[in-house]
C-alpha cells in the first residue's frame, strides 16, 4: 500500500478543498445511496445550503475544517440523516452521515453535525461541525 507523507496529504486536501468554492450542501432524510454516483431518492431532499466562497481552512494532519457560516432554510420537514456535497457545476462529490448536536457520549457523531433537528419547512439550519478528510 502506498503511504503519503504529511506534506503530500496536506497538499492533496488543500487542492480538493479548493474545488468547493461556491459549492452546495444537500441534506437528505432516509437511507443514503451506496455512492454519490447514485441519484438521491425522490422526495428525500430537506435543504440545500450554499457554502461560503472559502468553505475550508488550510489542511492539517487530520484534514480541513469548515470555515465561515454554513446555514440555510429547510425546504421540507424531516430528520436529516445524510448529506451530499455538490460542486458548483452540479457534480456530486461525496456523501456522509449527519448527526444533531449535542451528541451523547455513547452515540457516534456523524461526519457533519447540525445544531438542531428534526427540521420543519422554513426552519433555520446551521452546520456546527464538519471536517473533510481524504482517505
Amino acid at each position: 500500500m502506498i503511504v503519503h507523507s504529511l506534506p503530500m496529504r496536506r497538499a492533496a486536501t488543500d487542492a480538493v478543498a479548493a474545488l468547493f468554492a461556491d459549492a452546495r450542501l444537500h441534506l437528505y432524510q432516509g437511507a443514503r445511496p451506496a455512492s454519490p454516483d447514485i441519484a438521491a431518492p425522490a422526495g428525500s431532499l430537506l435543504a440545500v445550503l450554499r457554502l461560503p466562497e472559502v468553505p475550508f481552512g488550510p489542511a492539517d494532519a487530520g484534514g480541513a475544517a469548515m470555515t465561515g457560516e454554513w446555514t440555510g432554510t429547510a425546504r421540507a420537514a424531516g430528520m436529516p440523516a445524510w448529506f451530499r456535497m455538490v460542486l458548483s457545476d452540479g457534480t456530486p462529490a461525496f456523501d456522509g452521515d449527519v448527526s444533531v448536536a449535542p451528541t451523547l457520549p455513547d452515540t457516534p457523531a456523524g461526519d457533519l453535525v447540525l445544531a438542531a433537528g428534526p427540521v420543519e419547512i422554513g426552519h433555520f439550519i446551521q452546520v456546527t461541525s464538519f471536517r473533510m478528510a481524504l482517505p
Side-chain angles (χ1 to χ4, degrees):
M1 175 202 295
I2 295 174
V3 178
H4 295 96
S5 67
L6 180 56
M8 185 67 153
R9 289 193 315 269
R10 285 181 178 158
T13 300
D14 284 337
V16 170
L19 297 173
F20 290 96
D22 200 33
R24 304 291 187 269
L25 172 70
H26 294 192
L27 296 173
Y28 296 93
Q29 64 184 339
R32 182 172 113 186
S35 159
D37 297 317
I38 299 171
S44 64
L45 181 64
L46 298 175
V48 176
L49 285 66
R50 183 175 180 180
L51 300 185
E53 183 63 29
V54 180
F56 296 101
D60 57 26
M66 64 180 272
T67 61
E69 296 283 323
W70 291 26
T71 60
T73 305
R75 297 179 176 188
M79 184 62 176
W82 63 280
F83 71 89
R84 177 165 287 167
M85 293 287 285
V86 179
L87 301 179
S88 62
D89 67 359
T91 303
F94 58 85
D95 296 344
D97 294 323
V98 172
S99 63
V100 176
T103 55
L104 301 173
D106 295 335
T107 306
D111 303 304
L112 180 140
V113 180
L114 299 177
V119 299
E120 296 293 332
I121 296 173
H123 277 190
F124 178 76
I125 298 173
Q126 179 180 19
V127 176
T128 60
S129 175
F130 179 70
R131 173 175 286 280
M132 180 185 64
L134 299 179

